[in-house]
Amino acid sequence: MAIIITPIGKTNPANHSASMLYYPKVTKTGEVDLEELSEQIAYGSSLTQSDCYAVIISLVATVSKELDAGKIVRLGHLGAFQISVKGTASATPEAVSPKKGKSASVIFRPGKKFQAMLKDLKFIRK
């Protein structure tokens, strides 16, 4: 299967007189929600859909708890999650404080199977 792309035009915000440049943008072909995902997992295993749903919900809660404790969560071939912080700069290491942190985000680093999938992607233009 191929990923569908469409061109999207963007101008340079620093130079409004510059010509528009076009970049590829992925066209989404749908969504899979938690219920459908648990159904697909159940179909490929000996577990019930309810069991799969419960495991996924528990996984999210457990990963959140471990990230909140400052840990990196490694999920084998799936990948790794960790917390990142953005903040304001300080002139000295001593001046860095929790008050300097402005926002946090979760970083996901794909595992080997995801990396291989990304490497092998095919694109088509809509």
Side-chain angles (χ1 to χ4, degrees):
M1 200 159 192
I3 303 296
I4 300 170
I5 60 168
T6 54
I8 184 165
K10 293 186 179 185
T11 57
N12 183 345
N15 183 2
H16 293 291
S17 63
S19 60
M20 187 173 290
L21 296 175
Y22 295 87
Y23 299 88
K25 181 180 180 196
V26 171
T27 302
K28 294 165 194 69
T29 58
E31 291 184 8
V32 177
D33 63 10
L34 184 57
E35 188 169 327
E36 186 176 342
L37 191 61
S38 62
E39 184 178 322
Q40 289 181 29
I41 294 169
Y43 183 76
S45 70
S46 62
L47 300 171
T48 67
Q49 181 179 355
S50 298
D51 291 337
C52 295
Y53 191 91
V55 167
I56 295 169
I57 296 298
S58 181
L59 177 67
V60 171
T62 304
V63 168
S64 296
K65 182 184 88 172
E66 297 301 332
L67 289 172
D68 189 46
K71 297 178 182 176
I72 296 173
V73 178
R74 297 188 193 282
L75 299 175
H77 293 298
L78 179 63
F81 297 86
Q82 77 180 74
I83 298 292
S84 175
V85 65
K86 291 182 182 177
T88 54
S90 299
T92 65
E94 295 78 18
V96 175
S97 71
K99 292 179 182 179
K100 298 280 187 162
K102 297 297 179 194
S103 66
S105 61
V106 176
I107 297 173
F108 171 71
R109 291 188 179 87
K112 289 181 181 180
K113 289 203 178 206
F114 275 175
Q115 289 175 359
M117 178 271 304
L118 291 170
K119 186 178 177 182
D120 294 338
L121 281 179
K122 304 291 184 243
F123 298 95
I124 58 172
R125 183 168 178 210
K126 184 176 179 183

